Amino acid sequence: MRYLFGACCLALAACSPDPQANGLSGMSRLETDTDHGEVISNAIGVGLQGDAQRAVELLRSIEGVALTEGQKKYRSCMLERFGSHEPSLESTQDQNSFADTIVATYKAYWHAALTDPERREEYTEKLEQQLRDILDLSEGADSFEIERNLRERLSIDGLYALLGQTGVLRELMIWQNEERGPVSVEMPHGTYQTEVAFLDDFIISGWGQYATCETRGAGGWVADRTLFAVVPLYDDIEGEEFRVTFLGHETQHFLDLDAYPDMLSWELEYRAKLMELAMADETRERVLQKFIEDQSDDPASHHSYANRKLLNEMVERLPVSEVEGLKQAPDGALRDAALSLFQADTAKREGQ
């Protein structure tokens, strides 16, 4: 058994709803295989790429059509949240707390950047200035100093936080409970022992969930030689979804950071997502759906870019004409193709 010692890396994995919203698992059960499911799926995808304005346009195009209850709820939430350039009034548990002030500040930033993505950099600069004012920092304080002070201030109230950059937007997650322990991870190329931090009781769960009305988001990440798991986003931490979409995906990040420290973010995601497909069985179709609905040609959206690359390559390797056809590919063929692509990428990196 190999013990993992990875460098620090933010690598978001599973897509899921807000744990405080409805308790659905990592890959939301929102239906996308209905008559208008492609529009719903596309709206979710562009939201994850940081463009809620486009998501609203897509959802307005299906006004008056028959939708499932879940789709109606998602559409209604998105139109209410992002249908105007003024954010709707939302709060956390204690409106007088420091955490609530920070959450409100980030939500206002997310809303502005998501509804007007062309001015994203301007809104990020404004966020930093607001945080300097809240934290009473000098004008010269950079993002690193701002986030260090923010994390320290939240810790005084017994809170943990994830900050930094996820994809195209600045990130914020705040949670109240954290437990750690060793976990054994079985993968096609070996068994590994790693440390997992199990996170619970979230106050805010990141911009991905905000951008998709709590139907998608981050299920975990890698940092400080530890896998961080957002526990409420999984039905069962003993089940395949957690084992594949979180443990397999994030452990691959650790291995790659150790072996190839200069890899780009989208390259890390590409290899971890191939490993998901190489390991998935009962969750295979949901893993594919997650990849299909979030595709982009922009490497800055590293999850979306990796999804498009691996899906196109899988289509080339299997007897299907389009990515949707991958769902009907035999289990063994899909897993073999994913593993073959993974091995080919490894051989290329090692100069074989």
Side-chain angles (χ1 to χ4, degrees), residues 253-265:
H253 282 329
F254 258 143
L255 296 169
D256 286 338
L257 285 165
D258 184 31
Y260 317 111
D262 296 327
M263 285 180 67
L264 300 175
S265 293

Side-chain angles (χ1 to χ4, degrees), residues 159-177:
L159 301 173
Y160 306 88
L162 173 70
L163 300 165
Q165 182 92 4
T166 301
V168 296
L169 292 178
R170 298 292 284 273
E171 188 62 278
L172 177 69
M173 292 189 185
I174 301 175
W175 61 97
Q176 300 175 82
N177 291 317

Side-chain angles (χ1 to χ4, degrees), residues 107-131:
K107 281 187 174 181
Y109 153 68
W110 290 340
H111 189 279
L114 288 163
T115 55
D116 191 5
E118 292 185 0
R119 298 172 62 191
R120 189 179 294 142
E121 291 186 10
E122 174 186 335
Y123 297 128
T124 301
E125 292 175 1
K126 181 179 178 180
L127 169 69
E128 290 191 350
Q129 186 56 56
Q130 290 175 320
L131 294 174

Side-chain angles (χ1 to χ4, degrees), residues 9-178:
C9 174
L10 178 66
L12 301 184
C15 296
S16 52
D18 190 311
Q20 293 182 332
N22 50 29
L24 297 177
S25 69
M27 285 170 285
S28 170
R29 305 302 186 246
L30 181 63
E31 307 90 338
T32 55
D33 57 352
T34 60
D35 290 343
H36 303 285
E38 184 176 356
V39 175
I40 298 293
S41 181
N42 289 340
I44 292 171
V46 295
L48 290 171
Q49 293 158 33
D51 192 348
Q53 182 182 61
R54 176 58 181 154
V56 167
E57 292 173 359
L58 288 167
L59 294 169
R60 281 178 172 158
S61 74
I62 55 173
E63 182 175 2
V65 304
L67 299 173
T68 68
E69 287 304 312
Q71 291 170 344
K72 288 178 183 177
K73 182 177 179 181
Y74 163 71
R75 181 179 183 275
S76 175
C77 173
M78 289 293 290
L79 294 182
E80 180 178 354
R81 182 174 292 179
F82 299 115
S84 73
H85 286 287
E86 294 297 325
S88 57
L89 296 177
E90 302 178 24
S91 67
T92 55
Q93 298 164 348
D94 180 358
Q95 297 188 24
N96 297 314
S97 72
F98 175 79
D100 189 81
T101 299
I102 296 302
V103 168
T105 301
Y106 269 82
K107 281 187 174 181
Y109 153 68
W110 290 340
H111 189 279
L114 288 163
T115 55
D116 191 5
E118 292 185 0
R119 298 172 62 191
R120 189 179 294 142
E121 291 186 10
E122 174 186 335
Y123 297 128
T124 301
E125 292 175 1
K126 181 179 178 180
L127 169 69
E128 290 191 350
Q129 186 56 56
Q130 290 175 320
L131 294 174
R132 289 189 192 97
D133 294 341
I134 293 170
L135 295 164
D136 196 23
L137 298 176
S138 69
E139 290 293 320
D142 61 14
S143 59
F144 178 83
E145 185 176 355
I146 291 169
E147 292 182 352
R148 178 177 59 81
N149 279 269
L150 178 53
R151 191 176 288 106
E152 290 174 354
R153 176 62 183 82
L154 288 167
S155 70
I156 293 174
D157 295 332
L159 301 173
Y160 306 88
L162 173 70
L163 300 165
Q165 182 92 4
T166 301
V168 296
L169 292 178
R170 298 292 284 273
E171 188 62 278
L172 177 69
M173 292 189 185
I174 301 175
W175 61 97
Q176 300 175 82
N177 291 317
E178 179 176 314

Side-chain angles (χ1 to χ4, degrees), residues 138-250:
S138 69
E139 290 293 320
D142 61 14
S143 59
F144 178 83
E145 185 176 355
I146 291 169
E147 292 182 352
R148 178 177 59 81
N149 279 269
L150 178 53
R151 191 176 288 106
E152 290 174 354
R153 176 62 183 82
L154 288 167
S155 70
I156 293 174
D157 295 332
L159 301 173
Y160 306 88
L162 173 70
L163 300 165
Q165 182 92 4
T166 301
V168 296
L169 292 178
R170 298 292 284 273
E171 188 62 278
L172 177 69
M173 292 189 185
I174 301 175
W175 61 97
Q176 300 175 82
N177 291 317
E178 179 176 314
E179 296 182 6
R180 299 188 179 217
V183 174
S184 179
V185 185
E186 296 184 11
M187 302 175 72
H189 45 57
T191 300
Y192 306 89
Q193 183 81 9
T194 188
E195 183 83 1
V196 177
F198 297 91
L199 318 180
D200 213 341
D201 294 331
F202 277 74
I203 292 174
I204 186 71
S205 301
W207 76 260
Q209 293 193 9
Y210 181 77
T212 60
C213 270
E214 292 70 55
T215 60
R216 296 293 188 272
W221 62 90
V222 176
D224 302 326
R225 302 180 181 178
T226 303
L227 307 185
F228 288 80
V230 182
V231 172
L233 275 58
Y234 300 94
D235 286 337
D236 178 9
I237 60 172
E238 301 295 331
E240 180 178 296
E241 186 176 335
F242 185 78
R243 177 175 58 83
V244 171
T245 300
F246 176 69
L247 290 177
H249 181 114
E250 303 298 347

Side-chain angles (χ1 to χ4, degrees), residues 284 288 310-330 333-334 337:
R284 180 188 66 156
L288 279 171
L310 74 86
L311 288 170
N312 288 339
E313 292 177 348
M314 292 288 286
V315 169
E316 292 177 0
R317 292 225 169 195
L318 293 168
V320 298
S321 60
E322 57 184 7
V323 294
E324 286 289 342
L326 294 172
K327 295 178 182 178
Q328 281 70 52
L334 191 83

